[in-house]
Amino acid sequence: MSTGDGAPLASRPEHTLRAAAHRAAQASPHYRDLPAGGNGNGSSSGNASDVDGDCDGGADARASWADTPFTSAADLLRGGPRMAARTGVTAYASSGTGGSAKPAFFTARDRAATVRRTAAGLVACGVDPGDTLVVAHGFGIWLIGPDFTSAGEELGLRVVPVGKGPGIAHTLALLRELGADVIATSPGYAQRLAALVGPGNAAAALGTRMLLLSGETVSGRLRASMRRSWGLDAVHSFYGSAELGHLGCDPAADGSIALTSDLAYEVLTAHGPAALREGATGELVVTTLFQEGMPLVRYRTGDLVRLTRVGQEGPVIPLEVRVLGRIAESAVLESGEKLWAWQVEEAVVGAEGITDFRAYVDEVPMERQWFTTGDRLSVRVATEHDRPLTPEAVRRLIAGLREMSLDMSAAVGSVEIELEWCAYDDLVADDGPGKPRRLVDRRDGFPAPVEAPGGAPAEAGGAR
């Protein structure tokens, strides 16, 4: 399955994709009961097709992959247990950035597969057999904490599953006592640990030589800030989701995620699936090939990615991507230009010691030529050790926000920008359930809607 110029549209051949859809229909009531063909508009789940003949329910085996509808997070929320295969499963759930728990069903073989992928990522990033791996992720009914823990155990590491602990001071004391060669955690929690120890001293104080970050998007600016605050270079990103498990990591610690090879990938833009060529940008779409507990066909991850490497075409096309953020974390301004959370992050995080932010878009009346109403971009920031910003620093940051993208430069006449410093605890006090949202469009309520395929980004928005 390729475009007219020969560039592939998926990382696996069409017959492999259709066989995976057939297996999904055999295993999952949701896929088996779909009408043949589907409507292909992305609003319903993928149907099933077979390479060699018709399957029980689902689409005609002769239907092309391009006619196979997409699966969305809404299908998981609506479908619930119907997404699961009729076999022994463990149920996980993640509230993600939306606050509503998406179910995820894994058999023992599925869990072993995602643990194996995570273990391979640990090895690729340079984890040694003698390392102590501290897993400072939550251990609720979601996958990421147990995933790192089991992967470390499989590699024979000394694993310390501290979770978030009864408090960050307690966790820090435990790390000082037991040691922490490698820490797997979220960027926000790693920043808080570093802030308690002191800028640039955390790695030396805890004996840490490597950070493995997941759960939130890690931009280049954020990575640089983490390196400074911890005093180390080995800051790697791990990428995945509760419903899919481990999807990849960046062994070079440069933010380019090497996607695992035992899944199939597509990139969806406003104009449909994009050719897999370096620089292509859109929503990452994943098809599981051998998932038993909850097979997923053309599953829209909701993550905006840019392809940074496309390997040679063959049975498996190696792909590397830069994860830009959640598509839902964007706002269309009054001028028609789009603002993304990752653009705000690139403009502020790391500058002036800023470690975290929340951005809000509101509609305000304006008395300017051509505009009767406009937008206000309000950015609240926290800094290392909760040091207040000087007025001059605020002016520099606002100037940086105005120039953070061509879109913002074009929209400057209709956008007011204000920036406020606050203590970290006050910054996160208003976070709702699930992962923190770093860009909230308050003009239309919360949360901002995820765009349908027809409105998916044609040009250049997490993670577990």
Side-chain angles (χ1 to χ4, degrees), residues 40-349:
N41 65 4
S43 61
S44 62
S45 295
N47 55 356
S49 54
D50 188 10
V51 178
D52 302 315
D54 293 339
C55 58
D56 298 330
D60 191 310
R62 295 166 295 181
S64 71
W65 183 253
D67 294 327
T68 302
F70 295 92
T71 304
S72 70
D75 292 314
L76 273 62
L77 293 170
R78 287 193 301 262
R82 286 188 56 78
M83 299 297 299
R86 291 170 181 165
T87 185
V89 295
T90 298
Y92 297 86
S94 172
S95 58
T97 54
S100 298
K102 290 180 296 185
F105 302 94
F106 285 75
T107 65
R109 185 174 297 177
D110 295 335
R111 282 286 296 122
T114 188
V115 167
R116 184 175 62 252
R117 298 197 296 265
T118 304
L122 293 176
V123 172
C125 290
V127 172
D128 293 329
D131 282 335
T132 295
L133 170 65
V134 172
V135 183
H137 280 291
F139 283 79
I141 52 171
W142 59 324
L143 190 58
I144 188 169
D147 207 19
F148 275 107
T149 299
S150 298
E153 291 169 346
E154 185 155 304
L155 292 174
L157 308 180
R158 182 189 189 195
V159 181
V160 184
V162 300
K164 296 298 183 181
I168 193 166
H170 175 90
T171 299
L172 183 60
L174 187 63
L175 300 190
R176 290 182 186 277
E177 180 180 349
L178 297 178
D181 301 301
V182 181
I183 300 178
T185 190
S186 64
Y189 200 70
Q191 287 170 312
R192 296 301 290 165
L193 285 172
L196 283 180
V197 176
N201 299 325
L206 301 178
T208 302
R209 65 178 187 85
M210 185 184 303
L211 289 179
L212 308 177
L213 304 178
S214 56
E216 302 166 17
T217 304
V218 182
S219 69
R221 290 289 292 272
L222 178 57
R223 187 185 305 275
S225 175
M226 299 289 289
R227 284 171 170 159
R228 286 194 301 272
S229 62
W230 276 81
L232 52 78
D233 292 326
V235 179
H236 300 272
S237 297
F238 275 62
Y239 173 56
S241 69
E243 58 271 31
L244 291 163
H246 176 85
L247 291 176
C249 64
D250 68 332
D254 61 356
S256 188
I257 301 291
L259 295 175
T260 183
S261 61
D262 54 352
L263 299 166
Y265 306 96
E266 300 170 78
V267 173
L268 179 65
T269 73
H271 307 293
L276 298 186
R277 57 169 60 92
E278 292 177 11
T281 302
E283 183 177 6
L284 186 67
V285 175
V286 181
T287 295
T288 61
L289 300 179
F290 301 103
Q291 195 89 341
E292 295 178 331
M294 190 175 73
L296 293 170
V297 176
R298 301 194 92 183
Y299 180 68
R300 298 180 57 194
T301 62
D303 292 327
L304 185 69
V305 302
R306 178 179 294 121
L307 293 177
T308 55
R309 176 178 175 267
V310 179
Q312 186 174 356
E313 188 168 355
V316 181
I317 301 175
L319 297 178
E320 293 184 14
V321 302
R322 189 172 300 277
V323 182
L324 300 177
R326 300 291 295 173
I327 290 175
E329 290 194 88
S330 64
V332 178
L333 304 174
E334 292 286 345
S335 62
E337 306 294 348
K338 179 163 284 189
L339 176 66
W340 300 92
W342 64 268
Q343 292 174 320
V344 180
E345 181 171 311
E346 287 285 352
V348 300
V349 170

Side-chain angles (χ1 to χ4, degrees), residues 18-41:
R18 293 169 65 187
H22 176 44
R23 283 190 289 271
Q26 291 179 315
S28 169
H30 177 83
Y31 287 107
R32 183 166 54 252
D33 294 344
L34 286 176
N39 58 20
N41 65 4

